[in-house]
Amino acid sequence: MKKVNENSCHMCMPMGGIFSFKGVEKSMVILHGSQGCATYMRRHIAEHFNEPVDVASSSLNEKGTIYGGEKNLKQGLDNVIKIYNPKFIGVLTTCLAETIGEDVDRIVSAYLKEKGLVHLSAAAVSTPGYGGSHSEGYLKACHQIVAALAKKSPGHNKINVIVPNISPADIREIKRILNIMGVDFTLFPDYSNTLDQSFVKPYQKMPTGGTKISDIQSMSGAVATVQTVLTAGKQPTAGAYLEKEFGVPLYETPIPLGLENTDIFLNTVKRITGKEIPRSLGEERGRLLDAMIDSHKYNFQGRSILFGDPELVLAAVGVCLENGVFPVVVASGSKNTRLQQLLQPRFNQLNREACFLTGADFVSIREKAVEYKANIAIGSSEGKYLTEKEGIPLVRFGFPIHDRVGGQRLLSVGYNGTAMFLDRITNTLLENKLNNYRRKMYESFYRGENKELIGAELRWKE
Amino acid sequence: MSVFEPGSIVEERKDFIHTKGRQKKSLKCDSDSIAGCVSQRACVYCGARVVLNPVTDAVHLVHGPIGCASYTWDIRGSLSSGSELYRNSFSTDLQEEDVIFGGEKKLTAAIDQLVEKYPTKLVFVYATCIVGVIGDDLEAVCKNASLRHGIEVIPVESSGFIGNKAAGYRAACHALLRLINSGVNQDNNKVEKIPMSVNYLGDFNLAGEAWIIQNYLHPLGIKVNTNFTGDSTYRSLKDAPKASLNIIQCAGSMAFLAKEMEEMFGIPYMNISFLGVEDTSGSLLRIAEFFNSHKAVKAAEELINREEEIVKPLIEGYRREFQGKKAAVYVGGGFKAISLIKQFREIGIEVVMVGTQTGRPEEYETISDMVEEGTVVLDDANPTELEKFMMEKEAHLLVGGVKERPLAYKLGIAFIDHNHDRKHPLSGFAGAVNFAGEVYSTLCSPVWKYLK
Ligand code: SF4
C-alpha cells in the first residue's frame, strides 16, 4: 500500500472553509493555529483570484501550543474586530489547534459574551487539516454557517440556492439565470464579489457583497432549497440542515454545467416556483446545441482525464460524456466514493469503462493517464505536471489556477457557460492536433516509424 | 473594547513601526506575530523549505498533513542543471489515526517507498506543526532509515509554531551543516582548499541567477565551488568545505551557516550583493581583491567596464521616465530590502516605506541610516498598515510577493514581484536591466490613467 502522497491533488480542510465564509456579507475569517497555514492559504487564494484576501491567524507560538491557545485566539478576535469591524466572524481550526484539543466553540461563545458583542455573529468550525480535503472543509463550513445563523422565521416566497466551490463568474451566471426566470432567491455562499471585486476608489478592505446575514437567517422560511451538490455523501450539508430543522424541502441537483445538468437545474427551479423557463434561456440552450454540433467531430477525438473537487469533476465528466470527449480517468484527491457511484451507471449505459481514482495524487493520476492514453486533461493548474511530463494538454478548470490569469473569471455554468467551457476543451484538442499532425503523419507514413498508429487516427473505441 | 477606527494601528503593533526622524527608539523585530493582525509572514516550515528545496537531487518529504506539502509544491522558480527530483512534493499525508497513534510508522514506510522508487543519496524530512505536538521521534526514524539504506536521511526541525520564518532558515542551515559533516571518516578540517574558489551562499537560482554570477566569476579565474542552495546537489554540498571563501547574497537565510562554516572549516565569509549595477560591480571587485590577485582584479575591472557600458545607458533611459516617483518595499528579508533601496536610488526612485517579514535589528539600523527623513520602516506589517502608509506616503509602486500584489493593484498602484517564483532574473547586470524594465512596464503602463 502506498504510504506517501506524491504531488497532492487536494488541499486541506480550512482552505475550503475560507471560501464559504468569504461568501457571507462583511465576514472575516481567523484561523486558529500557527501563522503559516493562513499565509499559505492566502497566497494560494490571492494567486487564483488576483484579489487581496485577508485571513487572520491566532499565530500560535510555542507557549500557546503547550498551555493552550485560548489567550491567543481571544487576542486575535480582539484585533480582527478592531481592524476590520466585521459583522460576522468565522473561526476555523487548523491541524495544530485540533491536535492540542482546543474547544473553539466554547472559546468563541465565551468571548462574545465577555465582551458583550451582541451585534456580532460568529461560527466556529472544526477543520483539522488532516480531517479531510478542502472540498469537505467547504461543505462543512457552509453547514455550520447556516446552523449558526438560520433562525425560525415566517415563510416567504424565496428559494435557497446553495452552491459548491465554483468560480465567481459562475455564481454571477446562476444569479443572472434566476433573475431572468423571475425567481426570488437567496444564493449562498456568494463570494462572486468579495473574491472578484471591481476596481473602486477608495479601496474596500471589507468588500461589499456576500450573502446578506439577514437572508441567511431567513433561509429557514424559504419555499425550498436547491443545493447543487450531489457528492456530499454522508456529510451533513446546509441544505439538509434546513430541511431537518425547519422543514424546507431539499432538492439536490448537479451544478448546472453541461446541457443535461442545466436542464435539470432549470426544471427543478421551474417545478418549485411554477415559473416558466423564458424564451431567452431557450435561445441560449439552442446556441449551446449549435456549438455542440459545430465541434462534435473534434471532440470525438478526445480522451479526457478529469481531476479535482468531486462536485466539479462530476459536472465536467457530464460535459465530456455529452460531447464525446470520452473520460478515461476520473480522479479526486478527496476520498470520495460518491463520485463513482453517481457516474458508474452512465458508463455502464455506454458500455465503457473509466478508471476511477479516489484519494489520488498526481503520480498515480499520471500513471493512469498514460495507461489509458488520455490526450486532454481537465482540472486545476496542478495538471501542468501532466502537460510537462507527458505532453497532455490541460484545460484549466476549478481551483487553484495560479499559472494563468483570470481563474476567477472562468465561466462554465448555464448554457452560455457550458458553450464557453466546451470551446475551451475543443480548442485545446484542436491546438494539440494542429501542432502535431505534420510531424505525426511524416513519422507514420513517410518514415514508417510509428507502427502503433498504423495510420489510423480516428479511433474512439479501443 | 475599543471601537473600530478605519485604518487605525493596533496598539501592540506600534513598536514595530518607526518613522525616520520622528522617534529615537529602535524598531521592535524578530518576535512572534500578533494574533489577529493578518501578518504577511509564513511559518518555520516555509522558511526551511524555501532554503532547502533547491537541492535538486534530494527527496523532500514533508512529514505532516497534506496542506503544508500541497501549498509548497514546486512554488519556487529555482532552476536545475540536472535532476528534477526536487520539483516533486512528497507528504506522509497524516490522517486522524496517525495523529492519535503517532506517525512514525507511516514516516518510516514513506521513506522506504520513496528511496526505493527514486534512487537518491539524500532525503530531507521536514517536520510540520503537529509533528512536534504528537511527539514523533524524527531523529530516530531518520537515523534508522539512514542506516537501512546507506544514505543521508536528515530531519529538518521546522515545526510551524516554534518561531517564525527565520527559525526555519536556521533549521535549514542546521540540516545543511549536518549533511556536510556527516559521513564516514570525514575530517573536514583537513580538507584541502581549492585556491580561488568560493561557495555562493543565499542564492536560490531563481530564473538562473546563480548561473549569471558563476559566469561573471569564471573569467576572473574564480571557481564557484558550491551554491547554497540553488542548483545544488548532494555531491556539491558535501564538497563545500573545499572553498576558500564564502560569499553571502541572502544574509537572512545564510549568515548563520557562514559563521558556522568559518568556525568549523576556517572559511572566511563576506557579505556581497548582486542586486543593482553598483552592488554587482562593487561585489565583484571585493571578491577579486580578497584573493589578492592582480589578475583577478584586472579581469573584474574589464568585465565591469564592459557590462556597465552596455547597461548604464539603458538604465539611464529608464531613469528619465521615473522622475518624481516614489516606491514602497515589503519583502522577506532585511538584506533584500537594503539592496532594493540602493537599486531604486540607481533608477532615480525614492523609497518612502520599507518593511520586511524577518529583518534583523542591525539590518533595520542600516535601513534607517539609508532612507530619507519621514520614511516609514516597519517589521511584520499587515495589509492595513501597508495600505495606510502607501497612501499616506503617496507611493506609486510597491515591491513585494504574491500576497502583496493584489493589494497594490486594488489601490491602483504599480507593483513588481520579488518573490520565489518569478521567471526572470534580477541579479547581476542583466538583472539590473530587468529590474528597471519591470519598473517601467508597470509604472508607465497606460492602465493607470483610466483609474483617475
Ligand atoms: S495541513 Fe494543517 S498545518 Fe498544514 S496548512 Fe493545512 S491546516 Fe495548516
Side-chain angles (χ1 to χ4, degrees):
Chain A
M1 215 187 96
K2 231 171 127 165
K3 288 286 185 199
V4 56
N5 181 301
E6 304 176 60
N7 301 332
S8 154
C9 181
H10 66 291
M11 290 154 281
C12 62
M13 264 191 133
M15 169 68 102
I18 293 172
F19 288 110
S20 317
F21 281 102
K22 288 286 168 195
V24 181
E25 155 194 45
K26 295 259 180 270
S27 111
M28 183 64 192
V29 189
I30 178 163
L31 297 192
H32 189 27
S34 65
Q35 175 61 46
C37 311
T39 301
Y40 273 137
M41 290 176 218
R42 287 178 62 209
R43 182 188 182 283
H44 241 59
I45 300 176
E47 243 180 2
H48 175 98
F49 293 91
N50 298 294
E51 292 288 323
V53 197
D54 292 3
V55 173
S57 165
S58 62
S59 305
L60 267 194
N61 52 18
E62 208 146 13
K63 224 164 94 200
T65 302
I66 298 168
Y67 301 110
E70 180 159 351
K71 199 169 143 249
N72 268 66
L73 180 52
K74 285 184 171 170
Q75 184 195 19
L77 287 165
D78 269 348
N79 284 331
V80 160
I81 293 166
K82 242 183 252 169
I83 305 173
Y84 290 89
N85 192 26
K87 271 192 172 172
F88 185 61
I89 297 186
V91 183
L92 297 168
T93 58
T94 64
C95 291
L96 185 60
E98 284 291 329
T99 312
I100 61 174
E102 294 280 283
D103 184 352
V104 280
D105 247 331
R106 183 192 59 74
I107 300 175
V108 172
S109 44
Y111 172 83
L112 293 178
K113 218 186 261 153
E114 271 164 38
K115 304 270 168 169
L117 292 164
V118 276
H119 65 288
L120 194 67
S121 313
V125 191
S126 147
T127 44
Y130 49 78
S133 75
H134 62 286
S135 310
E136 283 98 55
Y138 179 96
L139 291 178
K140 189 167 185 190
C142 284
H143 175 252
Q144 231 101 314
I145 292 167
V146 169
L149 290 175
K151 292 195 185 95
K152 183 121 196 78
S153 62
H156 51 77
N157 63 0
K158 286 193 193 174
I159 61 167
N160 302 321
V161 178
I162 299 176
V163 295
N165 190 2
I166 51 180
S167 80
D170 285 338
I171 294 182
R172 276 196 289 275
E173 178 69 2
I174 292 179
K175 292 201 287 190
R176 184 188 71 92
I177 291 172
L178 292 168
N179 282 326
I180 293 179
M181 279 190 76
V183 173
D184 268 344
F185 62 91
T186 299
L187 186 139
F188 168 80
D190 181 2
Y191 44 83
S192 62
N193 197 52
T194 53
L195 289 178
D196 190 13
Q197 255 190 98
S198 61
F199 185 86
V200 287
K201 267 183 158 179
Y203 165 62
Q204 298 178 325
K205 199 209 306 279
M206 291 287 273
T208 47
T211 316
K212 287 215 165 53
I213 288 175
S214 56
D215 285 345
I216 302 175
Q217 283 168 341
S218 57
M219 281 172 97
S220 53
V223 179
T225 302
V226 181
Q227 185 167 258
T228 62
V229 176
L230 294 182
T231 54
K234 291 200 188 69
Q235 209 191 328
T237 61
Y241 175 85
L242 290 167
E243 181 166 57
K244 200 172 120 229
E245 295 296 319
F246 304 101
V248 185
L250 173 63
Y251 295 80
E252 290 171 310
T253 75
I255 303 171
L257 199 173
L259 183 81
E260 288 182 30
N261 288 354
T262 307
D263 287 349
I264 294 175
F265 178 76
L266 291 182
N267 287 323
T268 308
V269 174
K270 178 181 156 185
R271 209 165 78 217
I272 299 168
T273 60
K275 305 257 186 191
E276 281 307 314
I277 297 169
R279 235 184 72 201
S280 68
L281 283 178
E283 277 167 14
E284 288 176 16
R285 186 178 194 276
R287 231 171 273 125
L288 168 60
L289 269 174
D290 203 48
M292 288 166 71
I293 298 168
D294 291 342
S295 57
H296 75 278
K297 239 194 260 177
Y298 312 120
N299 291 331
F300 217 75
Q301 295 177 35
R303 297 170 61 82
S304 56
I305 134 140
L306 301 104
F307 59 87
D309 294 16
E311 200 57 46
L312 288 177
V313 169
L314 176 71
V317 167
V319 173
C320 287
L321 287 174
E322 287 169 358
N323 288 283
V325 188
F326 199 78
V328 289
V329 182
V330 179
S332 180
S334 299
K335 295 197 174 95
N336 186 305
T337 49
R338 278 295 284 156
L339 186 59
Q340 179 166 6
Q341 281 166 19
L342 288 161
L343 284 170
Q344 197 63 58
R346 295 186 70 178
F347 282 86
N348 293 347
Q349 234 172 33
L350 285 165
N351 205 10
R352 309 267 328 186
E353 249 176 68
C355 166
F356 284 91
L357 299 170
T358 65
D361 62 15
F362 271 99
V363 164
S364 54
I365 290 174
R366 174 184 172 193
E367 237 166 60
K368 292 297 171 194
V370 173
E371 189 184 324
Y372 286 79
K373 301 201 181 75
N375 62 5
I376 185 166
I378 300 172
S380 73
S381 279
E382 312 292 18
K384 68 178 192 278
Y385 174 81
L386 303 172
T387 315
E388 235 183 67
K389 304 278 178 196
E390 304 296 343
I392 302 172
L394 171 69
V395 177
R396 285 166 177 77
F397 173 66
F399 174 87
I401 292 168
H402 47 54
D403 59 347
R404 295 286 189 274
V405 295
Q408 75 277 36
R409 282 185 293 274
L410 283 181
L411 176 60
S412 322
V413 304
Y415 299 121
N416 283 348
T418 301
M420 293 166 81
F421 183 47
L422 184 61
D423 284 349
R424 295 198 291 272
I425 296 174
T426 314
N427 287 334
T428 305
L429 284 167
L430 273 175
E431 188 185 348
N432 202 37
K433 175 159 181 149
L434 299 181
N435 281 343
N436 295 315
Y437 84 100
R438 287 171 196 277
R439 185 180 44 81
K440 249 180 160 169
M441 300 304 143
Y442 172 79
E443 280 167 6
S444 297
F445 304 138
Y446 187 78
R447 311 209 22 175
E449 272 173 2
N450 201 340
K451 298 278 184 304
E452 206 197 322
L453 266 182
I454 341 167
E457 255 287 283
L458 304 175
R459 293 172 305 165
W460 184 51
K461 293 243 174 198
E462 46 186 74
Chain B
M1 136 149 290
S2 97
V3 270
F4 172 71
E5 304 156 48
S8 65
I9 300 297
V10 168
E11 200 54 42
E12 299 106 301
R13 286 276 316 144
K14 291 206 166 130
D15 292 345
F16 294 86
I17 305 165
H18 175 93
T19 306
K20 180 166 176 186
R22 290 232 191 107
Q23 309 118 295
K24 286 264 146 48
K25 215 167 49 159
S26 65
L27 190 77
K28 191 167 170 191
C29 62
D30 208 6
S31 55
D32 290 336
S33 297
I34 290 165
C37 286
V38 192
S39 158
Q40 306 288 94
R41 260 186 197 167
C43 60
V44 185
Y45 158 70
C46 167
R49 179 83 191 231
V50 294
V51 170
L52 293 176
N53 201 63
V55 182
T56 60
D57 58 356
V59 159
H60 298 268
L61 171 59
V62 184
H63 185 35
I66 198 66
C68 313
S70 195
Y71 306 132
T72 48
W73 178 15
D74 203 17
I75 57 166
R76 290 215 95 173
S78 301
L79 302 189
S80 167
S81 58
S83 176
E84 293 270 304
L85 191 52
Y86 72 118
R87 294 190 54 210
N88 291 294
S89 170
F90 302 125
S91 164
T92 48
D93 191 4
L94 291 184
Q95 304 292 313
E96 195 116 32
E97 66 268 19
D98 305 313
V99 174
I100 300 168
F101 299 113
E104 288 178 15
K105 265 211 199 109
K106 200 169 190 189
L107 175 59
T108 304
I111 297 171
D112 289 351
Q113 283 184 357
L114 287 171
V115 171
E116 193 184 316
K117 188 163 167 191
Y118 306 97
T120 178
K121 290 215 164 61
L122 176 60
V123 178
F124 287 115
V125 179
Y126 300 79
T128 58
C129 282
I130 60 171
V131 170
V133 180
I134 62 178
D136 279 1
D137 190 347
L138 222 57
E139 195 66 53
V141 174
C142 289
K143 198 167 161 211
N144 285 334
S146 181
L147 291 172
R148 209 163 45 250
H149 298 287
I151 59 168
E152 309 270 1
V153 181
I154 297 183
V156 186
E157 298 297 347
S158 50
S159 273
F161 58 87
I162 57 171
N164 60 38
K165 199 170 169 187
Y169 294 155
R170 169 120 1 166
C173 290
H174 277 299
L176 288 167
L177 280 172
R178 210 160 142 160
L179 170 65
I180 299 171
N181 272 320
S182 72
V184 247
N185 299 332
Q186 193 158 355
D187 187 352
N188 279 321
N189 267 318
K190 303 221 179 74
V191 170
E192 209 171 311
K193 301 270 184 260
I194 304 170
M196 303 280 286
S197 71
V198 296
N199 291 328
Y200 184 22
L201 272 57
D203 188 304
F204 303 103
N205 204 29
L206 307 182
E209 286 177 335
W211 297 334
I212 294 179
I213 305 313
Q214 204 166 306
N215 289 338
Y216 293 157
L217 293 174
H218 180 76
L220 276 51
I222 297 166
K223 180 180 178 271
V224 175
N225 178 53
T226 306
N227 268 321
F228 283 85
T229 51
D231 193 23
S232 62
T233 60
Y234 167 80
R235 194 60 261 161
S236 73
L237 292 168
K238 278 283 194 198
D239 281 344
K242 293 181 183 160
S244 22
L245 171 68
N246 278 339
I247 54 173
I248 318 172
Q249 167 82 28
C250 172
S253 60
M254 288 285 162
F256 172 72
L257 183 68
K259 276 186 202 132
E260 292 290 305
M261 284 174 81
E262 178 171 51
E263 215 162 89
M264 288 177 179
F265 317 125
I267 307 177
Y269 64 87
M270 173 192 284
N271 282 317
I272 49 85
S273 158
F274 290 114
L275 293 172
V277 177
E278 190 192 317
D279 275 9
T280 303
S281 300
S283 296
L284 286 174
L285 272 178
R286 273 169 53 225
I287 296 166
E289 279 158 5
F290 171 89
F291 287 109
N292 244 330
S293 149
H294 182 63
K295 235 172 99 194
V297 173
K298 217 168 148 259
E301 281 166 351
E302 267 166 30
L303 185 129
I304 291 165
N305 283 340
R306 192 191 68 214
E307 293 285 325
E308 284 193 353
E309 215 168 291
I310 306 169
V311 166
K312 280 203 164 149
L314 292 173
I315 291 185
E316 198 39 54
Y318 284 124
R319 202 186 147 96
R320 278 193 293 273
E321 306 283 336
F322 298 155
Q323 274 178 27
K325 298 292 187 203
K326 292 182 258 178
V329 172
Y330 191 73
V331 289
F335 185 76
K336 206 191 263 174
I338 294 168
S339 296
L340 277 166
I341 296 168
K342 282 197 224 158
Q343 235 174 324
F344 273 119
R345 210 161 272 167
E346 264 178 28
I347 57 172
I349 290 179
E350 190 202 329
V351 172
V352 291
M353 186 206 92
V354 200
T356 84
Q357 288 178 33
T358 58
R360 295 171 301 164
E362 55 289 10
E363 288 168 337
Y364 279 119
E365 244 160 65
T366 312
I367 289 172
S368 203
D369 288 343
M370 287 171 78
V371 295
E372 304 282 327
E373 293 275 300
T375 299
V376 176
V377 184
L378 70 184
D379 181 63
D380 188 18
N382 56 49
T384 307
E385 292 160 8
L386 294 177
E387 177 196 347
K388 177 180 159 77
F389 294 118
M390 283 194 292
M391 291 291 106
E392 268 178 30
K393 293 279 147 197
E394 294 173 332
H396 301 95
L397 168 80
L398 172 71
V399 192
V402 178
K403 294 186 302 305
E404 287 79 47
R405 179 174 54 210
L407 177 65
Y409 288 169
K410 275 285 186 288
L411 294 171
I413 68 176
F415 180 82
I416 41 177
D417 287 290
H418 222 296
N419 58 9
H420 299 322
D421 66 348
R422 66 189 143 79
K423 308 287 184 282
H424 55 272
L426 294 178
S427 275
F429 299 105
V433 177
N434 277 344
F435 180 77
E438 194 185 346
V439 171
Y440 181 74
S441 72
T442 179
L443 210 48
C444 303
S445 161
V447 71
W448 308 121
K449 76 168 186 259
Y450 300 104
L451 308 183
K452 293 272 147 61

